[in-house]
Amino acid sequence: MQPYELSLAEAADAIGSGQLSPVELTESVLARIEATEPLVNAYATVTADSAREQAAAAEREIAAGRRRGPLHGIPMALKDLIDTAGVVTASGSAVRAGRIPDRDAAVAARLKRAGAVLLGKAHTHEFAYGLTTPQTRNPWAPDRVPGGSSGGSAAAVAAGSATFALGTDTGGSIRVPAALTGAVGLKPTYGLVPREGVAALSWSLDHVGPITRTVRDAGLVLEAIAERGADSPGPEYGHGDREGRYGDGAGGHGDGGGGYGISVGGGLDGVRVGVPSDYFFDRVDPQVEAAVRTALDRMADLGARLVDVQIPLHRYIQAAQWGLMVPEATAYHAAQLGQAPELYGDDVRVLLEAGALLPAVDHIRAQRARTLMRREWHGLLEQVDLIAAPTAPATAAQVGQEAFGWPDGTAEAVADAYVRFCAPANITGLPALSLPVGFDRQGLPIGMQLIGRPYGEAALLGAAAAYEQEFGPAPRATVDAQAVDAQAVGAQVADAQVVDVRLAAKSS
């Protein structure tokens, strides 16, 4: 196994034990970037020289006994919306071409303090206003999209060209690309992770979170970037118990001397998992449904109680999502759109111009709908501990594909389809995580979404980690392979009765 193939937790353990150095790890990942970028194009900017300097500095600190924690010396990518001092941050747009911030975004500063090594900036759909990230290709199949808008971040993690990455999520933009590339994507509770220095799409829907190879890794990154204590934002929810750790090791606060990751505790035994009887299984690819229902059966085998639930106010979810997002995005871009509309891509410009035509009363109605939805979802999550459902109704679309066709004969635009199952957690601000649970017949990954209670990240991660501990993370995409080792994909495919997989992980 090459160092780039290690998960964050595995790499942290190896660095902590002296079996691997930050320089060795960073050089391996940089070599992987060089090998995969011609096909994947996950990065807008690669800062190789700076990464080598940061890795060497981390190596010296660790050798001197000043290890900062599990992220120290770990190479990462940041979405091109997240400000980085001295490094171009263009938000994937000609509008900000060449823009170099003079200070780090809050999350970038926290990761820097934790000792993480910045590899570069990952591609985003322009200003995060899209679900495909057209610059980037899916590592599992280069004729497929990686999802968006954090497609570059997810593609880098899936390809092994970043050990972890940060993305943003306004309507699924962390979870959708994670699902489409076989990664883990966590959208935290609204306000738990600071957004200062991150370009906005929709202020009331935007979230920042990690994309990683494993659930354990997501917990370790969240530990480093989450707010702490009574100064945390997010007045929509009470502060609650935020002092609990998301990793069972050092987090961002020192070495701690133990292993890293999530404590699975009692696993899934007795956990009440809500299974929607409507909405989340409407207009969904049969292969996606089969894989998710197999994963639900596995959760039951691990002791979970599956409880049928109905999704409240589901008729209004998409209207509320677009009613909130579109005018807020237009307000953010109003000045620049008026001065130089030609600098925006056609797809984004049309949406921004449409937002100017939306009546204010519709935005008010969307806000009222959100208030009602939040109340109803909180009531639902008093009956169960979490909700489990598909992350996206289909696997990765072909590059240039405009719509999906469903078994009932209807068609749906790709962006609308990808937003549909993710929007509830953005509207309500609830934490949600996507983890890989199988593959379709073309060898494309399938994700299952878990939605939890406000500030219930520890429980959400624990449940996902219990599943992952039993069935393993997704194999690593080979990027250039056309065949698979059937054993690498394993029971994920067989149990879902999904066969003829064409891609798999590089064997270790």
Side-chain angles (χ1 to χ4, degrees):
M1 176 179 285
Q2 298 299 313
Y4 77 81
E5 297 177 278
L6 297 172
S7 69
L8 190 166
E10 290 169 340
D13 283 343
I15 289 172
S17 65
Q19 297 176 320
L20 179 68
S21 76
V23 170
E24 292 170 334
L25 176 59
T26 299
E27 289 294 347
S28 179
V29 177
L30 286 172
R32 183 64 171 171
I33 291 174
E34 185 175 354
T36 59
E37 275 300 278
L39 185 64
V40 177
N41 195 31
Y43 284 88
T45 302
V46 177
T47 54
D49 291 343
S50 174
R52 290 187 172 101
E53 292 173 1
Q54 293 172 46
E59 189 165 311
R60 290 192 297 270
E61 286 189 22
I62 292 169
R66 300 196 303 274
R67 189 179 184 213
R68 305 183 196 181
L71 270 58
H72 201 178
I74 302 295
M76 65 168 180
L78 297 180
K79 187 175 182 178
D80 194 30
L81 294 181
I82 300 171
D83 281 354
T84 43
V87 179
V88 173
T89 305
S91 300
S93 179
V95 173
R96 292 186 175 178
R99 173 180 173 270
I100 301 178
D102 58 7
R103 60 182 296 182
D104 288 324
V107 287
R110 291 179 182 201
L111 291 171
K112 183 180 290 185
R113 289 196 297 270
V117 173
L118 179 64
L119 297 163
K121 307 304 287 292
H123 275 303
T124 173
H125 203 114
E126 185 178 12
F127 283 112
Y129 215 167
L131 274 294
T132 58
T133 317
Q135 313 96 309
T136 302
R137 296 295 178 261
N138 193 313
W140 288 92
D143 64 337
R144 303 280 176 156
V145 302
S149 60
S150 306
S153 296
V157 171
S161 59
T163 305
F164 76 92
L166 288 193
T168 65
D169 192 313
T170 306
S173 290
I174 287 172
R175 290 161 289 158
V176 168
L180 271 50
T181 61
V184 172
L186 173 63
K187 182 202 77 65
T189 304
Y190 183 80
L192 180 63
V193 175
R195 291 178 288 119
E196 177 190 356
V198 180
L201 173 56
S202 173
W203 294 287
S204 69
L205 299 171
D206 291 346
H207 302 68
V208 180
I211 298 176
T212 60
R213 188 178 179 207
T214 72
V215 176
R216 294 178 64 207
D217 294 354
L220 292 172
V221 178
L222 183 63
E223 180 74 18
I225 63 175
E227 294 282 9
R228 285 288 181 270
D231 59 344
S232 303
E236 292 78 6
Y237 305 114
H239 293 303
D241 178 15
R242 302 191 193 179
E243 300 301 328
R245 308 182 73 79
Y246 304 104
D248 64 355
H253 304 284
D255 183 63
Y260 304 116
I262 302 301
S263 174
V264 299
L268 284 162
D269 191 33
V271 174
R272 298 170 300 170
V273 177
V275 180
S277 59
D278 53 9
Y279 191 72
F280 282 101
F281 290 100
D282 297 339
R283 288 186 299 163
V284 61
D285 187 305
Q287 295 178 82
V288 171
E289 179 172 358
V292 172
R293 291 200 183 277
T294 295
L296 289 167
D297 290 340
R298 288 174 169 177
M299 295 179 79
D301 291 342
L302 295 175
R305 288 177 48 205
L306 303 186
V307 181
D308 287 339
V309 297
Q310 292 185 326
I311 300 303
L313 303 173
H314 62 79
R315 290 174 53 197
Y316 306 103
I317 289 172
Q318 286 182 288
Q321 172 74 21
W322 292 100
L324 293 165
M325 181 176 66
V326 172
E328 291 181 5
T330 298
Y332 181 79
H333 289 276
Q336 185 63 49
L337 185 65
Q339 294 170 5
E342 71 281 358
L343 294 180
Y344 290 89
D346 291 343
D347 60 332
V348 172
R349 186 180 66 252
V350 167
L351 288 168
L352 293 174
E353 290 172 346
L357 303 176
L358 190 74
V361 67
D362 288 349
H363 189 223
I364 297 299
R365 286 170 177 159
Q367 293 183 57
R368 293 178 64 188
R370 173 169 52 196
T371 299
L372 295 173
M373 287 180 192
R374 183 179 292 136
R375 183 178 66 194
E376 293 296 320
W377 273 79
H378 287 193
L380 177 60
L381 285 164
E382 290 177 358
Q383 303 169 33
V384 295
D385 300 304
L386 56 89
I387 306 293
T391 305
T395 53
Q398 292 184 328
V399 173
Q401 182 176 339
E402 295 183 355
F404 291 113
W406 301 122
D408 65 2
T410 62
E412 184 177 23
V414 168
D416 289 342
Y418 284 153
V419 167
R420 179 154 47 93
F421 292 166
C422 288
N426 292 95
I427 295 169
T428 60
L430 296 170
L433 176 147
S434 180
L435 73 160
V437 294
F439 297 83
D440 70 5
R441 294 188 184 96
Q442 287 71 47
L444 300 172
I446 295 169
M448 178 173 70
Q449 178 178 204
L450 303 179
I451 303 173
R453 295 169 179 162
Y455 302 113
E457 279 82 355
L460 193 67
L461 288 161
Y467 182 94
E468 182 180 83
Q469 179 175 275
E470 186 70 22
F471 301 106
R476 180 82 75 186
T478 56
V479 178
D480 55 354
Q482 296 300 314
V484 325
D485 172 359
Q487 291 183 340
V489 177
Q492 292 184 1
V493 174
D495 288 358
Q497 298 183 342
V498 178
V499 296
D500 195 28
V501 179
R502 299 298 183 201
L503 295 170
K506 189 168 187 172
S507 57
S508 57

